[in-house]
Amino acid sequence: MNINLTIIGQAIAFAIFVMFCMKYVWPPITGALAERKKKIAEGLDAAERAQRDLQLAQEKAVANMRESKEQAAAIIEQANKRASQLVDEAKEQARVEAERIKHAAQAEIEQDVNRAKETLRSQVAALAVAGAEKILEKSVDKAAHAQLVDKLAAEL
Amino acid sequence: MASGSGTQTSSEYISHHLTNLTFGSHPENGWGFAHGAAEAAEMGFWAINVDTMLWSIGLGVLFCWLFSKVAKTVTAGVPGNTQNFVETLIEFVEENVNSIFHHKNALIAPLALTIFVWIFLMNTMDLVPVDWIPYIASQMGIGYMKVVPTTDINATMGMALSVFGLILYYSIKMKGLGGFLGELAFQPLGKWMLPFNLFLEIVGLLAKPISLALRLFGNMYAGEMIFILIALLPFWIQWVLSVPWAIFHILVITLQAFIFMVLTIVYMAMAHEEH
């Protein structure tokens, strides 16, 4: 157990190992550790963000659904309203048409009556003349009496 | 037992196991491996403990190889088993450094990691049964083989002096030479007690590397000694003592590596801070 050159040899070996460790061992490994730490932090961040996004999307989906339900209800209501309106319109049209048809029929009937009256009137004159001829049994002055008979016919 | 010279006394066995394989120039025998502790001592400073250097560098290379292998294929994705293990160690060291050392210095954390893993590996050699590797070595014609580098005061002192050098370097770099010397001279009792301050602070400063080296060396040397003593018992009873001691020693080797690392970080932090 005596001090000798080994002490210097050991110091040199020590220095070389420390330098080797400092250059080739420590930086890459601690670098990888730091990188992994960063990766994990990023992963956790991403997970949190995704969670938040999911929640947001769910809220949005619920809101969308509610809105579409409201819209659907509104559309149905509108459709119902429109349907009843259509029915009302159709009823109105039918009523107007019926009225029109009735008027036309009435006008035709009136026309027919008038035409019948006219025919009747023209025939009454002849009939009255014939009747008078029969009653008087003699020829009357047709010309003198025609004025009288026409007056009678017009009074009909 | 390890030496080829037939019967051996207990003290010969113990001292054989505590002798390093020293290479150097002996004043009488010239260059060569020392034959025993006395001859190694006669070689003086200019000799080298080949077994200590071999095992410590081998284990350091093992550390560098394993960690750089992971560092090359490191991924920020799902880590494999080896990467997981290495990352655990690195995070452990980083946590310790961050809790003690609050300045910006890219050297400190790799320094702490190297100290922790390297000393741990060197200490772990203590758990290899004390006769295995020396026996294999002796069969190969190598007389001495001490496999735990941290039971060699040169190894622990070499590391501690490197740390001491860093303490001085960063003290002067962060505070300036004047600031550093002022700290030695004017604390803790003000300028009128300058000699006393100087004495106290210099003792305190020198105590850092010495305590660092001796603590590790002492613990590992004592542990190794106990293993050697246990190995002197009859082989069928050895496990009764060696197993509990080995299990306890797992704690010691980890703890000593950890203490060396933490104290180094503390000393570095002190070197960076103004008092």
Side-chain angles (χ1 to χ4, degrees):
Chain A
M1 204 223 311
N2 43 300
I3 301 286
N4 60 22
L5 261 186
T6 314
I7 204 169
I8 293 170
Q10 195 72 18
I12 294 169
F14 182 46
I16 291 170
F17 291 141
V18 169
M19 281 191 280
F20 182 89
C21 181
M22 192 177 161
K23 198 157 184 179
Y24 298 110
V25 173
W26 192 267
I29 295 179
T30 48
L33 288 177
E35 197 183 327
R36 184 177 314 141
K37 210 182 270 180
K38 213 176 87 189
K39 262 188 181 172
I40 291 172
E42 278 169 2
L44 288 175
D45 263 8
E48 206 170 308
R49 214 165 34 238
Q51 190 105 33
R52 222 169 27 237
D53 284 357
L54 180 66
Q55 203 176 341
L56 234 62
Q58 272 173 345
E59 276 168 16
K60 206 171 169 185
V62 168
N64 271 349
M65 205 175 274
R66 200 168 45 230
E67 200 179 325
S68 18
K69 265 184 190 162
E70 276 167 9
Q71 269 180 356
I75 288 170
I76 289 171
E77 201 183 332
Q78 212 176 349
N80 278 339
K81 218 191 278 175
R82 177 95 184 109
S84 61
Q85 201 180 347
L86 276 178
V87 169
D88 284 352
E89 269 176 21
K91 270 184 190 163
E92 182 63 23
Q93 269 181 356
R95 206 183 53 74
V96 169
E97 184 70 16
E99 199 87 345
R100 198 181 57 79
I101 290 171
K102 209 171 79 186
H103 275 306
Q106 270 175 350
E108 203 170 329
I109 288 167
E110 213 162 305
Q111 226 173 15
D112 278 354
V113 167
N114 283 344
R115 199 169 332 137
K117 271 184 186 168
E118 200 66 37
T119 317
L120 206 56
R121 206 177 281 141
S122 62
Q123 280 180 358
V124 160
L127 204 60
V129 172
E133 266 181 355
K134 283 251 172 85
I135 293 164
L136 294 174
E137 289 276 44
K138 61 174 187 174
S139 161
V140 286
D141 185 359
K142 276 185 188 176
H145 292 111
Q147 207 177 350
L148 189 70
V149 173
D150 280 344
K151 202 178 163 192
L152 185 71
E155 273 169 18
L156 279 170
Chain B
M1 307 242 171
S3 118
S5 61
T7 52
Q8 200 179 23
T9 65
S10 294
S11 66
E12 272 171 4
Y13 174 77
I14 292 170
S15 69
H16 172 264
H17 271 273
L18 293 177
T19 304
N20 280 108
L21 178 65
T22 310
F23 183 85
S25 171
H26 191 268
E28 289 160 29
N29 304 339
W31 289 96
F33 287 104
H35 303 283
E39 214 171 291
E42 281 161 14
M43 285 177 175
F45 183 77
W46 297 103
I48 192 156
N49 295 340
V50 178
D51 47 0
T52 300
M53 290 310 298
L54 216 70
W55 288 107
S56 62
I57 290 175
L59 292 166
V61 168
L62 175 70
F63 154 68
C64 287
W65 170 77
L66 180 71
F67 277 62
S68 64
K69 197 184 82 161
V70 169
K72 257 181 220 133
T73 58
V74 71
T75 165
V78 181
N81 286 337
T82 323
Q83 191 186 332
N84 225 335
F85 168 73
V86 167
E87 278 178 8
T88 310
L89 275 176
I90 286 195
E91 284 187 325
F92 167 72
V93 171
E94 200 172 27
E95 212 171 278
N96 276 298
V97 171
N98 288 340
S99 67
I100 299 170
F101 188 83
H102 302 295
H103 301 267
K104 221 163 166 55
N105 191 333
L107 173 71
I108 304 305
L111 175 74
L113 177 73
T114 309
I115 286 175
F116 181 68
V117 180
W118 195 26
I119 291 182
F120 177 79
L121 287 174
M122 291 195 285
N123 290 354
T124 308
M125 294 307 292
D126 218 0
L127 297 175
V128 179
V130 285
D131 273 326
W132 283 11
I133 295 171
Y135 179 74
I136 294 168
S138 78
Q139 293 301 318
M140 287 161 63
I142 301 165
Y144 297 94
M145 182 55 71
K146 213 169 143 192
V147 297
V148 192
T150 42
T151 59
D152 183 353
I153 184 79
N154 289 297
T156 60
M157 194 55 98
M159 296 178 81
L161 286 180
S162 306
V163 171
F164 185 59
L166 287 175
I167 292 174
L168 293 181
Y169 173 71
Y170 281 116
S171 291
I172 293 169
K173 191 183 170 196
M174 300 306 287
K175 303 162 194 167
L177 187 61
F180 177 54
L181 292 179
E183 218 166 68
L184 290 182
F186 303 128
Q187 282 180 3
L189 294 176
K191 59 181 173 178
W192 301 112
M193 295 286 276
L194 192 141
F196 179 73
N197 290 340
L198 213 55
F199 172 73
L200 208 65
E201 286 290 316
I202 286 175
V203 168
L205 188 66
L206 293 179
K208 285 176 185 174
I210 291 172
S211 69
L212 210 53
L214 290 184
R215 181 183 304 106
L216 178 59
F217 165 72
N219 272 281
M220 299 320 295
Y221 191 82
E224 179 79 345
M225 182 72 104
I226 303 281
F227 276 121
I228 294 169
L229 292 177
I230 291 169
L232 287 168
L233 294 171
F235 74 92
W236 46 268
I237 196 76
Q238 283 182 14
W239 65 272
V240 175
L241 290 169
S242 66
V243 168
W245 182 243
I247 291 171
F248 174 65
H249 220 61
I250 294 173
L251 176 71
V252 173
I253 60 180
T254 318
L255 195 65
Q256 287 306 319
F258 177 70
I259 289 172
F260 202 110
M261 175 188 85
V262 168
L263 284 178
T264 304
I265 302 170
V266 169
Y267 292 157
M268 289 295 111
M270 285 166 75
H272 280 69
E273 273 156 20
E274 302 271 355
H275 291 286

